[in-house]
Amino acid sequence: MATCGRGCVPAVRFCQRLNRLKTLDDDLMVTSMKRCLTMVDLALLGVGGMVGSGLYVLTGTVAKDTAGPAVVLSFLIAGIASLMAALCYAEFGARVPRTGSAYMFTYVSCGEIWAFLIGWNVVLEYMIGGAAVARAWSGYLDSMFNHTIQNYTENHIMKWNVPYIAHYPDLLAAGILVVATIFITFGVRVSSWLNHIFSAVSLVVILFILVFGFVLADPVNWSQKEGGFAPFGVSGVMAGTATCFYAFVGFDVIAASSEEAKNPQRAIPMATAISLCMAATAYILVSTVLTLMVPWHSLDPNSALSDAFFRRGYSWAGYIVAVGSICAMNTVLLSNLFSLPRIVYAMAEDGLFFAFFAKVNPVTKVPVNAILVFGLLMAVMALIFDLEALVQFLSIGTLLAYTFVAASVIVLRFQPEKEKTSSKANSTTSPNTNYNPEPSPEASESQIIAQDSGELKEYESFSDKLQLVEMQKTRERSAPGVLKARWEPYLGRLLGDFEPGEVVAFSVLAVMVSSVSLCAVFVFGSNQLQLPTWSFAVLILVFGSTFLLSLVVIYAHEPHINTKTFQVPLVPFIPGASILMNVFLMLKLSPMTWIRFTVWVAAGLLVYFGYGIWHSKEGLRELQPKDMAARYVVLPSGSLVETVQSVQPNGHGDASALHTTPSPAQSAEEQQAKR
């Protein structure tokens, strides 16, 4: 048994290295970047990231092929589901105002390797998203000029026929990305003002669409004559919800900008809520106008709004819609180029990615190296890859990030507070202060009473002793991660012996496993697995009960209450519902997407084990000398002898540590004391 234990030590240490958590600085507001973004700046960044080409394309596609006029309900439900994920991001952005978004949040709560994989996948998502938007921007602009640019490129420059590669190099898409990259390097204020301009134009165009569209609205288009409000039924509404959910992807740019926010504790939650409400309102009202202007079954999926105005006899309005569409795509492009380098910078700053990307320009206060390199990579992708091939890979990394952030909120909410040891304070303790690392029970008890009553009071009676014991019990009961008092009669015998936060960690793991199992049965049980009805029902009951029971067990523990920053309400139920929704959407993705995802994760593991694990700043921190604590021993003559002990992580000091050399008289006194 002992031999097995010694043999397992390297494996245990290796797992501990993979799951080490990021140590946060005492002052999270100190940064090498420039804190200049207000709540309005952040809200417009969020709106720009969400309200893009989806408003002009996705509304018509879902209305015609999936939900009909009930696309309004699909956007409403998708907005509520996105709000659950957005609240989790808002809490972390306010609590940990550091750039890196989901990567940083996972690093703080789940562990290093999980954070790296989240960051690695989010980087690819932003690169593909930016390249796809640039291709859509180019195609939309080219269509306004009767595809003149495409025809000229194919006839006079280059044309190829290769799978997953575009038929011609899209020079316009690559060019717009290069220009946008150059503007982003000028600093956060330039990026913010560009986003303000494009967002303002986009919002004015949306307002024009709503006002003019409601004037042209015809309620007959929602009547039974045209198929009714929900021609595809409830299943169509839910299928449309799964598609519309991706329209709200982009609010995480707010959390990614938290290190450049003036007052992140207030601005991040407010900007997240405002931007999501504005985006949801825009999607719902535009889809309402669109399906009221023309019958839903006659919509053109590629240019629904422009075609709707054209069919009502107002072809000139199509040009206004085209201007709004291009401006909206510009805001999404800026959002991707703004967020991507900051996540790369955060990973490089922690040592998990190449240090070249951790450099911040001293003038513009932005990570210029990361912006230029990844902006050019994005331009190359837009130049050669087909739009459909790019879009197929989208969403899986974002959904995975949403899942880990929701789980991280639960873990941190019930995680016990870590005691901070200040080596600096210990090493600079004055010899005149009677520092005693092992105070007597009377002293510690008196200190506890003094902390609560505000005055020094040593207990002299039995009632004082009872008061002290009750205060200690109250503290233990109210500590985060400890079972609540009202649940002790029911769960005390089963869960009372675990360390604080331990049961919550296991329960979060059970939530993740049960949600994957439950969604797998829902998605694959009837068709691919062909389960009988009774086994389908039993599996749903078992996994559903496990999911709910795990949430109840988590709820039965004391949470960490912080009134200084925003906290997600109804934890763990809102993050749990977000996890379930994200896992369901991930399992609905195509098998080819999962294959590409697996290949990309394998490439990320090569980078991590080849570079990141060896250069991790948390790993280097572990190799540094332990904190030193000074203790003073009073000799019989009344003189002091200073000894210095290393403070071990498990609380056991090293008695054979350093000590100061005493004078001969002190040595003699010490030997006499030992006798």
Side-chain angles (χ1 to χ4, degrees), residues 338-417:
F338 187 87
S339 302
L340 171 59
R342 281 154 178 81
I343 294 177
V344 174
Y345 160 79
M347 296 173 68
E349 180 72 13
D350 292 332
L352 302 186
F353 207 50
F354 305 112
F356 172 77
F357 298 114
K359 295 180 180 178
V360 175
N361 186 280
V363 178
T364 59
K365 302 293 185 181
V366 293
V368 175
N369 293 342
I371 293 172
L372 290 175
V373 170
F374 283 89
L376 293 177
L377 285 176
M378 200 182 293
V380 171
M381 293 180 67
L383 181 71
I384 62 176
F385 285 108
D386 188 17
L387 180 60
E388 293 182 2
L390 291 171
V391 171
Q392 285 178 1
F393 201 88
L394 281 174
S395 304
I396 187 169
T398 303
L399 292 172
L400 188 66
Y402 288 0
T403 303
F404 268 86
V405 170
S408 300
V409 166
I410 302 176
V411 171
L412 276 189
R413 182 66 63 87
F414 296 91
Q415 190 178 67
E417 295 181 359

Side-chain angles (χ1 to χ4, degrees), residues 154-166:
E154 291 180 347
N155 296 328
H156 297 88
I157 299 179
M158 187 180 292
K159 181 181 179 181
W160 52 59
N161 292 313
V162 182
Y164 302 111
I165 300 296

